[in-house]
Amino acid sequence: MVNVGIIGGAGYTAGELLRILVWHPTVNIAFVQSTSHAGHPITDVHKDLLGDTNLVFGEADYSAVDVIFICSGHGKTKAFLEQSNLPNDLYIIDLSTDYRPKNNDGDFVYGLPELNKESIETASRIANPGCFATCIELGLLPLAEEKQLSEEIHVNAITGSTGAGQNPTVTSHFSWKNNNVAVYKAFTHQHLAEITESVLQLQPDYSKAINFIPVRGNFSRGIMATVYTDCEWSLEEAKEKYQSYYSEHPFVSISNVIPDVKQVVNTNKCVLYLEKHGDKLMIVSVIDNLLKGASGQAVQNMNIMFGLNEKEGLGLKPVGF
Amino acid sequence: MVNVGIIGGAGYTAGELLRILVWHPTVNIAFVQSTSHAGHPITDVHKDLLGDTNLVFGEADYSAVDVIFICSGHGKTKAFLEQSNLPNDLYIIDLSTDYRPKNNDGDFVYGLPELNKESIETASRIANPGCFATCIELGLLPLAEEKQLSEEIHVNAITGSTGAGQNPTVTSHFSWKNNNVAVYKAFTHQHLAEITESVLQLQPDYSKAINFIPVRGNFSRGIMATVYTDCEWSLEEAKEKYQSYYSEHPFVSISNVIPDVKQVVNTNKCVLYLEKHGDKLMIVSVIDNLLKGASGQAVQNMNIMFGLNEKEGLGLKPVGF
Amino acid sequence: MVNVGIIGGAGYTAGELLRILVWHPTVNIAFVQSTSHAGHPITDVHKDLLGDTNLVFGEADYSAVDVIFICSGHGKTKAFLEQSNLPNDLYIIDLSTDYRPKNNDGDFVYGLPELNKESIETASRIANPGCFATCIELGLLPLAEEKQLSEEIHVNAITGSTGAGQNPTVTSHFSWKNNNVAVYKAFTHQHLAEITESVLQLQPDYSKAINFIPVRGNFSRGIMATVYTDCEWSLEEAKEKYQSYYSEHPFVSISNVIPDVKQVVNTNKCVLYLEKHGDKLMIVSVIDNLLKGASGQAVQNMNIMFGLNEKEGLGLKPVGF
Amino acid sequence: MVNVGIIGGAGYTAGELLRILVWHPTVNIAFVQSTSHAGHPITDVHKDLLGDTNLVFGEADYSAVDVIFICSGHGKTKAFLEQSNLPNDLYIIDLSTDYRPKNNDGDFVYGLPELNKESIETASRIANPGCFATCIELGLLPLAEEKQLSEEIHVNAITGSTGAGQNPTVTSHFSWKNNNVAVYKAFTHQHLAEITESVLQLQPDYSKAINFIPVRGNFSRGIMATVYTDCEWSLEEAKEKYQSYYSEHPFVSISNVIPDVKQVVNTNKCVLYLEKHGDKLMIVSVIDNLLKGASGQAVQNMNIMFGLNEKEGLGLKPVGF
């Protein structure tokens, strides 16, 4: 049994962790820390867990756990680690951006299992990747592994609303977002840094631009990225290389038909699809931003760190519709 | 030309007034008052008017207008009237709840043209009805007119998100509301007061309950109310009575097939539909909450007050889809 | 291990069964019969199962299974049973309406565990309840159990689009349904028969009308029913009675706050909520129409029939958003 | 008064024409031809027009009209013209793809007013542009006019469901499309031909690829295209050039803030927005696919052909929400 604690238990990614972990067969949830909701049942905030758990938000007790998931929000983990007197042997999985850069000062391993599984197996601290980053990197890794990247990469990715968190804003207002789409942070999205680092980890000589246009979609969950770049492989070669690259990675599938984003919603899966047009290879990549793009991947990392089956607790029923 | 001013120009109902009035052939918009946005183009807030108008939010100038629309929000009109030194001959159309009760202390006429057209023609102050109230009253007026109400009335009405205004809240958050519905204020909604008063205006002896369950719908615009009560009329009689009641009211139609709410979205229309089951007459009523339920009806009232064609400026293209 | 077969494997309820059963720890899926798709991978139709299963649509082999789920559609089960030479000891769970009436000619037990758990334990043939019926009956059973029903019952229930199946029609077209709602089959919906029978099973003397207005909602999954009727209980008494009635039924919870439909989406749960207004008790009931309203309940019935834990394989991660 | 007839009156684009033309001050709708619905009120099909018109579907009477709009569907216009004995002086506006190629055999002028206004003024036959084509071309015309195109162009455009017409299909089914997005016809969409021709009309030497990925969006109306390519202009220069190019075109606006697609829904407007990132100029372009992308543009063309104010009848209230 792995004893886990959650820091910052009232947010979206914490809620999603709880939805997974209450059913995880080898996990015991020892505490769900929340400053703002301490003393209240977690079902006051995560109402859909009514009937599934009687957990109450409380204080952190590090002596009771093997691992903590930090869900406090971007920019807060570093201060948290400095202020908390954490046991040396406590495992940490951080869902924020703070320690994702390779040269972080905390010995955090970038927790994309399809890139770094061996390092994750022996790591005690994981920086869980970003949602856009996960979706796009999974589309590019086989190309970088084979040093096939030579020209600029063109990415357009549309994300569900939960990617922006629970804070109510103008663009999270239903009356605005319903039936609506809009571009944001074009060419400048903060996930470009980790995408670039992951590509360079496999193909250090790649030096062209990755042009990335993020789009706010009018759905709750999911990301669909379309990626294309010049590639010498035929479509058949490309499919073989992708199949081969992901053959040991149970959450990534190559589809022979165009995938849609809902196909992976409420699962930890990534579905990839390839087309070749002239010199261009197009990759479509779909994930659930809260699962493979956040909390599901965090549990996948935990499974790997603790020597469990990578899929344990992640056999999730897709929503389908 | 009617010169109009808008008080509280940055909210939803003001935006909707502007969308109508910029194209109204006999209206000149003299000012759009907003404290928070003074000095800025109205298209900074109501972006969809880009290209349609160069109006700028500013201060009120009562000497320049024949009528003002007050869009300040519920509970604020009374204080506004006391603090502002309004000219005696200024016409006022108030979109808040403040002066809707019959025994209001401001000589406001309840501005439902299908109930009070003659009074509106000679009124200088109008309390514009609520959105749920308009939708439900239009379903009940012919019954009350003919004193047919005898038993309890059962109402369920589902509303679009714009009915709750632009303030971001938990239940206006897209991630919550998307694909979601929920009940609120069952049996206690504040519009029950005006519904009851309008029914009693036509049938003063009616004394049974009006049971009203409002529902938050996951769409932006529109209200659909289903209403039923015991009724001695046959379906044919009922249709005739409804046709007859609304024969001089250009915005209300009786449909022979079940209407859907999108059929009236972006119009000032109300579509009614009748079925008879045993002793029960069921009425389905659909409107656009921001138009016939708010700003469209306000313009309709203005047209009547100023002797214009009731439909002027309200020949609106339905959204259709 | 329970060996199961699915008849009519290409439809919505079959897909939903598969999404559950591929992860059910004590189930082996022996065959998924489909006439139209025989020989094709089930992921050609149920694409979201890509990576989860390699099952192929094929022919039925009754000697290989302990139980079959019949998902052929309403009105087809009777003919199927006559034409198929089924083994006498084969268990059957039928998802159609065909054998739901109490006086059916096939010894089918109405499979609502919260009403008939003991009968289900010893049954070999189950008629799985309708989705609206399940949602509404769960709201009424404690009242009927205590013989508290005395006056008419008023029900309004809004359903997700999957309730209408996968056949494309005018009202299933996205361009019509998006942002839209409409009434259908008011006072005449076919589920009224089974609702009435279940109520009468517990309170045989109840003789008033159940007025039921179904509404097509613009969401994919879920049903929310609002039910009210006269009731002498105080709110506190009512809550106690409901808590008590469902104390042994793990999928039904009583909420202290207003539930929303998304709270139960992708789960087998029913959440009930009570308010008292004057003489009226209002019950809000929410379920996922494809799970507690169809395939989840079918698996729950299977679990009970085979002596498994009622919740086995039904610890489903809610979609949350 | 312009007397108009509509051929193929039951489809989406015909419905949208009717929604505009019933309020157009100088148009008389002489007939609405439909084979399948002849003899029935047009409100049987276009229900949202209930109360706005009593028109009945009927046969075409070419002697009664000055212009016909052909809404029969792609690939049917040529046969229609051959089979119909149309008067020589009858004006034709065809909404299909059939005569959009420059070298068409029918003397049709490509009806994009922002490209071909002078030709349209004297044309008697107009091939109305495609929806994606309109949205993307309006983003590119100022660049082509100034011969600034030198490198490949990258386009991603997401469209509302009405772009696919009213025929019910798997991907138009609400249960599939709700909360879902998917790519289709990447790099091969049929509108690439007219986009390329329009670009070459202004900059004949451009010879690089236009890479276009279309996406099915989960909304009813609207297209948002993001377009980028290398450009030597500074952002300020680009804005000036775009402002200048569209200075005489009343339906195109340059926005200083990121536009969203709903901003133009239910209007004939196109809003453009520019950003510069390194060598890349990004253009965001939004239109309503049924209006500026189809029927609104058709009316705009009619206005120009008949010497009316280009905006007549097209002062449409935006839906806003």
Side-chain angles (χ1 to χ4, degrees):
Chain A
M1 219 58 176
V2 180
N3 291 296
V4 313
I6 295 175
I7 306 294
Y12 277 6
T13 54
E16 196 70 358
L17 273 174
L18 288 163
R19 284 179 200 103
I20 300 168
L21 295 177
V22 295
W23 302 112
H24 193 296
T26 51
V27 158
N28 169 51
I29 304 172
F31 66 80
V32 184
Q33 184 277 336
S34 167
T35 307
S36 51
H37 294 82
H40 293 277
I42 66 164
T43 51
D44 279 9
V45 173
H46 309 299
K47 294 186 182 178
D48 50 287
L49 290 172
L50 183 70
D52 296 338
T53 178
N54 294 316
L55 282 166
V56 172
F57 290 116
E59 297 194 3
D61 175 4
Y62 303 113
S63 69
V65 297
D66 303 302
V67 59
I68 56 169
F69 294 91
I70 306 180
C71 303
S72 307
H74 303 307
K76 298 187 178 166
T77 299
K78 187 164 284 192
F80 168 78
L81 292 183
E82 289 166 2
Q83 291 159 12
S84 309
N85 196 8
L86 299 181
N88 284 331
D89 61 348
L90 181 66
Y91 280 29
I92 297 174
I93 298 173
D94 179 33
L95 281 83
S96 82
T97 59
D98 295 17
Y99 291 93
R100 289 183 200 155
K102 250 192 164 24
N103 294 321
N104 66 73
D105 58 3
D107 291 328
F108 279 74
V109 170
Y110 186 70
L112 187 66
E114 291 78 11
L115 176 65
N116 291 330
K117 197 182 292 190
E118 290 187 15
S119 309
I120 296 166
E121 285 169 353
T122 59
S124 60
R125 295 180 160 203
I126 294 290
N128 210 57
C131 50
F132 273 130
T134 296
C135 188
I136 294 164
E137 291 175 29
L138 292 175
L140 289 171
L141 293 182
L143 287 168
E145 169 80 2
E146 301 281 337
K147 323 300 187 223
Q148 294 296 309
L149 296 170
S150 58
E151 298 297 331
E152 292 193 8
I153 299 170
H154 303 279
V155 184
N156 187 297
I158 183 166
T159 182
S161 61
T162 49
Q166 70 194 140
N167 200 32
T169 63
V170 170
T171 55
S172 75
H173 197 298
F174 182 86
S175 299
W176 182 86
K177 200 177 195 81
N178 181 38
N179 258 17
N180 209 1
V181 290
V183 166
Y184 73 111
K185 298 184 182 174
F187 295 88
T188 63
H189 193 280
Q190 64 273 15
H191 286 184
L192 274 168
E194 52 186 290
I195 296 167
T196 302
E197 282 203 346
S198 294
V199 165
L200 293 180
Q201 179 178 330
L202 296 182
Q203 184 177 344
D205 68 347
Y206 181 67
S207 59
K208 295 291 174 62
I210 302 178
N211 303 298
F212 171 28
I213 300 184
V215 177
R216 298 181 205 277
N218 58 322
F219 45 91
S220 300
R221 283 174 173 268
I223 294 178
M224 179 181 77
T226 54
V227 181
Y228 61 87
T229 191
D230 282 25
C231 174
E232 295 186 349
W233 289 338
S234 69
L235 179 60
E236 289 65 34
E237 282 175 291
K239 284 186 179 179
E240 278 168 29
K241 297 291 189 184
Y242 273 69
Q243 287 285 8
S244 168
Y245 185 93
Y246 290 112
S247 59
E248 302 299 316
H249 296 287
F251 290 109
V252 182
S253 295
I254 318 298
S255 174
N256 285 316
V257 293
I258 299 177
D260 57 88
V261 78
K262 212 156 59 174
Q263 192 171 329
V264 295
V265 165
N266 215 39
T267 79
N268 196 50
K269 296 189 284 190
C270 173
V271 171
L272 298 173
Y273 166 77
L274 307 174
E275 284 186 9
K276 192 82 195 288
H277 295 280
D279 295 333
K280 301 243 173 359
L281 180 68
M282 177 184 76
I283 307 107
V284 179
S285 176
V286 290
I287 65 166
D288 184 315
N289 60 303
L290 286 178
L291 286 165
K292 186 59 181 165
S295 304
Q297 185 146 267
V299 173
Q300 185 183 356
N301 280 315
M302 180 199 74
N303 287 342
I304 296 171
M305 294 167 87
F306 286 88
L308 306 175
N309 181 329
E310 189 172 346
K311 297 181 71 171
E312 189 133 350
L314 292 170
L316 303 174
K317 183 195 162 300
V319 75
F321 301 104
Chain B
M1 220 59 176
V2 179
N3 291 296
V4 312
I6 295 175
I7 305 294
Y12 277 6
T13 53
E16 196 70 359
L17 272 174
L18 287 162
R19 286 179 199 103
I20 301 168
L21 295 178
V22 295
W23 302 113
H24 193 294
T26 50
V27 159
N28 170 52
I29 305 173
F31 67 80
V32 184
Q33 185 277 336
S34 166
T35 307
S36 51
H37 294 81
H40 293 277
I42 66 165
T43 53
D44 279 9
V45 173
H46 308 299
K47 295 184 180 179
D48 51 286
L49 290 173
L50 184 69
D52 296 338
T53 177
N54 294 315
L55 281 167
V56 173
F57 289 116
E59 297 194 2
D61 175 5
Y62 302 113
S63 69
V65 297
D66 304 302
V67 58
I68 56 169
F69 294 91
I70 306 179
C71 302
S72 308
H74 302 308
K76 297 186 178 167
T77 299
K78 186 165 284 191
F80 167 80
L81 292 184
E82 288 166 2
Q83 291 159 13
S84 308
N85 197 7
L86 300 181
N88 285 331
D89 60 349
L90 181 66
Y91 280 29
I92 297 174
I93 299 173
D94 179 33
L95 282 82
S96 83
T97 58
D98 296 17
Y99 291 93
R100 289 183 199 154
K102 249 189 164 25
N103 293 321
N104 68 73
D105 57 3
D107 291 329
F108 280 74
V109 170
Y110 186 70
L112 187 67
E114 292 77 10
L115 176 64
N116 289 331
K117 196 183 290 190
E118 289 187 15
S119 310
I120 296 166
E121 286 169 351
T122 59
S124 59
R125 297 180 159 203
I126 294 291
N128 210 56
C131 51
F132 273 130
T134 296
C135 188
I136 296 164
E137 290 174 29
L138 293 175
L140 289 171
L141 293 181
L143 287 168
E145 169 80 2
E146 300 282 336
K147 324 299 186 225
Q148 293 295 310
L149 296 169
S150 57
E151 298 297 329
E152 293 194 7
I153 299 170
H154 304 279
V155 184
N156 187 297
I158 184 166
T159 180
S161 61
T162 49
Q166 69 193 143
N167 201 33
T169 63
V170 169
T171 54
S172 74
H173 197 298
F174 183 85
S175 298
W176 182 85
K177 199 177 195 79
N178 181 37
N179 259 16
N180 209 1
V181 290
V183 166
Y184 72 113
K185 297 185 184 173
F187 294 88
T188 63
H189 193 280
Q190 65 273 14
H191 287 183
L192 273 168
E194 51 187 292
I195 296 167
T196 302
E197 282 203 347
S198 293
V199 165
L200 292 180
Q201 179 177 331
L202 295 182
Q203 184 176 344
D205 68 346
Y206 181 66
S207 58
K208 296 292 174 62
I210 301 178
N211 303 297
F212 170 30
I213 299 184
V215 177
R216 299 181 203 276
N218 59 323
F219 46 90
S220 300
R221 280 175 176 268
I223 293 177
M224 178 180 77
T226 54
V227 181
Y228 61 87
T229 191
D230 283 24
C231 175
E232 295 186 349
W233 289 339
S234 70
L235 179 59
E236 289 65 34
E237 281 175 290
K239 284 185 178 180
E240 277 168 31
K241 297 290 189 182
Y242 274 69
Q243 287 286 9
S244 167
Y245 186 93
Y246 290 113
S247 60
E248 302 299 315
H249 296 287
F251 290 107
V252 182
S253 295
I254 317 299
S255 173
N256 285 315
V257 294
I258 299 177
D260 56 87
V261 76
K262 212 156 59 174
Q263 191 171 329
V264 295
V265 165
N266 216 40
T267 79
N268 196 50
K269 296 189 283 191
C270 173
V271 171
L272 298 173
Y273 166 77
L274 307 175
E275 285 186 8
K276 191 84 194 284
H277 295 279
D279 294 334
K280 300 241 170 4
L281 179 69
M282 177 184 75
I283 307 108
V284 179
S285 175
V286 290
I287 64 165
D288 184 316
N289 59 302
L290 286 178
L291 287 165
K292 186 59 180 163
S295 304
Q297 185 145 271
V299 173
Q300 184 183 357
N301 279 314
M302 180 199 75
N303 287 342
I304 297 171
M305 293 167 88
F306 286 87
L308 307 175
N309 181 330
E310 190 172 345
K311 297 181 72 172
E312 188 134 352
L314 292 169
L316 303 173
K317 182 195 163 300
V319 75
F321 301 104
Chain C
M1 219 60 174
V2 180
N3 291 296
V4 313
I6 295 175
I7 305 295
Y12 278 5
T13 54
E16 196 70 358
L17 273 174
L18 287 162
R19 285 178 200 105
I20 300 168
L21 295 177
V22 294
W23 303 112
H24 193 295
T26 50
V27 158
N28 170 52
I29 305 172
F31 68 79
V32 185
Q33 184 277 339
S34 167
T35 307
S36 50
H37 295 81
H40 294 278
I42 67 163
T43 52
D44 279 9
V45 172
H46 309 299
K47 294 184 180 179
D48 51 285
L49 290 172
L50 183 70
D52 296 338
T53 178
N54 293 316
L55 281 167
V56 173
F57 291 115
E59 296 194 3
D61 174 5
Y62 303 113
S63 68
V65 297
D66 304 302
V67 59
I68 57 169
F69 295 91
I70 307 180
C71 302
S72 309
H74 304 305
K76 297 186 178 167
T77 298
K78 188 164 283 191
F80 167 80
L81 292 184
E82 289 166 1
Q83 292 159 12
S84 309
N85 196 7
L86 300 180
N88 285 331
D89 60 349
L90 181 65
Y91 281 29
I92 298 174
I93 299 172
D94 179 33
L95 282 82
S96 82
T97 58
D98 296 17
Y99 290 93
R100 289 184 199 154
K102 252 193 162 23
N103 293 322
N104 67 73
D105 57 4
D107 290 329
F108 279 76
V109 170
Y110 186 69
L112 187 67
E114 292 77 10
L115 176 65
N116 289 331
K117 196 182 294 189
E118 290 187 14
S119 310
I120 296 166
E121 284 169 352
T122 58
S124 59
R125 296 181 159 202
I126 294 290
N128 210 56
C131 51
F132 273 129
T134 296
C135 188
I136 295 164
E137 290 174 29
L138 292 175
L140 289 171
L141 293 182
L143 287 168
E145 169 79 3
E146 300 283 337
K147 325 299 186 222
Q148 293 295 310
L149 296 170
S150 57
E151 298 297 330
E152 293 194 8
I153 299 170
H154 304 279
V155 184
N156 186 296
I158 183 165
T159 181
S161 62
T162 49
Q166 69 193 141
N167 201 31
T169 62
V170 170
T171 55
S172 74
H173 197 297
F174 183 85
S175 300
W176 183 86
K177 199 177 195 80
N178 181 38
N179 259 16
N180 209 0
V181 290
V183 167
Y184 73 112
K185 297 184 183 174
F187 294 87
T188 62
H189 193 280
Q190 65 273 14
H191 287 183
L192 274 167
E194 52 187 290
I195 296 167
T196 302
E197 282 203 346
S198 294
V199 165
L200 292 179
Q201 179 178 331
L202 296 182
Q203 184 177 343
D205 68 347
Y206 180 66
S207 59
K208 295 291 174 62
I210 301 178
N211 303 298
F212 172 28
I213 299 184
V215 177
R216 298 181 204 275
N218 59 322
F219 46 91
S220 301
R221 280 175 176 268
I223 294 176
M224 179 181 75
T226 54
V227 181
Y228 61 87
T229 190
D230 282 24
C231 175
E232 295 186 349
W233 289 338
S234 69
L235 179 59
E236 289 65 34
E237 282 175 289
K239 284 186 179 180
E240 278 167 31
K241 297 291 189 182
Y242 274 69
Q243 287 285 10
S244 169
Y245 186 93
Y246 290 113
S247 60
E248 302 299 315
H249 296 287
F251 290 108
V252 182
S253 295
I254 317 300
S255 174
N256 285 315
V257 293
I258 299 176
D260 57 87
V261 76
K262 211 155 60 175
Q263 191 171 329
V264 295
V265 165
N266 215 40
T267 79
N268 197 49
K269 296 189 286 191
C270 173
V271 172
L272 298 173
Y273 166 77
L274 307 175
E275 284 185 9
K276 190 84 195 285
H277 295 280
D279 295 334
K280 300 242 173 1
L281 179 68
M282 177 184 76
I283 307 107
V284 179
S285 175
V286 291
I287 65 166
D288 184 316
N289 60 303
L290 286 178
L291 286 165
K292 185 60 181 164
S295 304
Q297 186 146 270
V299 173
Q300 184 182 356
N301 280 314
M302 180 200 74
N303 287 342
I304 297 171
M305 293 167 87
F306 285 88
L308 306 175
N309 180 330
E310 190 172 345
K311 295 181 72 173
E312 189 133 351
L314 292 170
L316 303 174
K317 182 195 163 300
V319 76
F321 300 105
Chain D
M1 220 57 174
V2 180
N3 291 297
V4 313
I6 295 175
I7 305 295
Y12 277 5
T13 54
E16 196 71 359
L17 273 174
L18 287 162
R19 285 179 200 104
I20 300 168
L21 295 177
V22 293
W23 303 113
H24 193 295
T26 50
V27 159
N28 170 51
I29 305 171
F31 66 79
V32 184
Q33 184 277 338
S34 167
T35 307
S36 50
H37 295 82
H40 294 277
I42 67 163
T43 52
D44 279 9
V45 173
H46 309 299
K47 294 185 182 179
D48 50 287
L49 290 172
L50 184 69
D52 296 337
T53 178
N54 294 316
L55 282 165
V56 173
F57 289 116
E59 297 195 2
D61 174 5
Y62 303 113
S63 69
V65 296
D66 303 301
V67 58
I68 56 168
F69 294 91
I70 306 180
C71 302
S72 308
H74 303 307
K76 298 188 178 166
T77 298
K78 187 164 283 192
F80 167 79
L81 293 183
E82 289 166 2
Q83 291 159 13
S84 309
N85 197 9
L86 299 181
N88 285 332
D89 60 349
L90 181 65
Y91 280 29
I92 298 175
I93 299 173
D94 179 33
L95 281 83
S96 84
T97 59
D98 295 17
Y99 290 94
R100 289 184 200 155
K102 251 191 163 24
N103 293 320
N104 68 71
D105 58 2
D107 291 328
F108 279 75
V109 171
Y110 186 68
L112 187 67
E114 292 77 11
L115 176 65
N116 290 330
K117 197 183 291 189
E118 290 187 14
S119 310
I120 296 166
E121 285 169 352
T122 58
S124 59
R125 294 180 161 204
I126 294 290
N128 209 56
C131 51
F132 274 131
T134 296
C135 188
I136 295 164
E137 291 174 29
L138 292 175
L140 289 171
L141 293 182
L143 287 168
E145 168 78 4
E146 300 282 335
K147 325 298 186 222
Q148 293 296 309
L149 296 170
S150 57
E151 298 298 329
E152 292 194 6
I153 299 170
H154 304 279
V155 184
N156 186 296
I158 184 165
T159 182
S161 62
T162 49
Q166 70 194 140
N167 200 32
T169 63
V170 170
T171 55
S172 74
H173 197 297
F174 183 86
S175 299
W176 183 86
K177 200 178 195 81
N178 181 36
N179 259 17
N180 208 2
V181 291
V183 167
Y184 72 111
K185 298 183 182 174
F187 295 88
T188 63
H189 193 279
Q190 65 273 14
H191 286 184
L192 274 167
E194 52 187 288
I195 296 167
T196 302
E197 282 202 346
S198 293
V199 165
L200 292 179
Q201 179 177 331
L202 296 183
Q203 184 177 345
D205 68 347
Y206 180 68
S207 60
K208 296 291 173 61
I210 301 178
N211 302 297
F212 171 29
I213 300 185
V215 177
R216 298 182 204 277
N218 59 319
F219 45 92
S220 301
R221 281 174 174 268
I223 293 177
M224 179 180 76
T226 55
V227 180
Y228 62 87
T229 191
D230 282 25
C231 175
E232 295 185 349
W233 289 338
S234 69
L235 180 59
E236 289 66 32
E237 281 176 291
K239 283 187 179 179
E240 277 168 30
K241 297 290 190 184
Y242 274 69
Q243 286 285 9
S244 168
Y245 186 93
Y246 290 113
S247 59
E248 302 299 316
H249 296 287
F251 290 108
V252 182
S253 295
I254 317 300
S255 173
N256 285 316
V257 294
I258 299 177
D260 57 87
V261 77
K262 212 156 59 173
Q263 192 171 328
V264 296
V265 165
N266 216 39
T267 79
N268 197 49
K269 296 189 285 190
C270 173
V271 171
L272 298 173
Y273 166 77
L274 306 175
E275 284 186 9
K276 191 84 194 286
H277 295 279
D279 294 335
K280 300 243 174 0
L281 179 69
M282 177 184 77
I283 307 107
V284 179
S285 174
V286 291
I287 65 166
D288 184 315
N289 60 302
L290 286 178
L291 287 165
K292 186 59 182 164
S295 304
Q297 186 146 269
V299 173
Q300 184 184 356
N301 280 314
M302 180 200 75
N303 287 342
I304 296 170
M305 295 166 86
F306 286 88
L308 306 176
N309 181 330
E310 189 171 346
K311 296 180 72 172
E312 188 133 353
L314 292 169
L316 303 173
K317 184 196 161 298
V319 75
F321 301 104

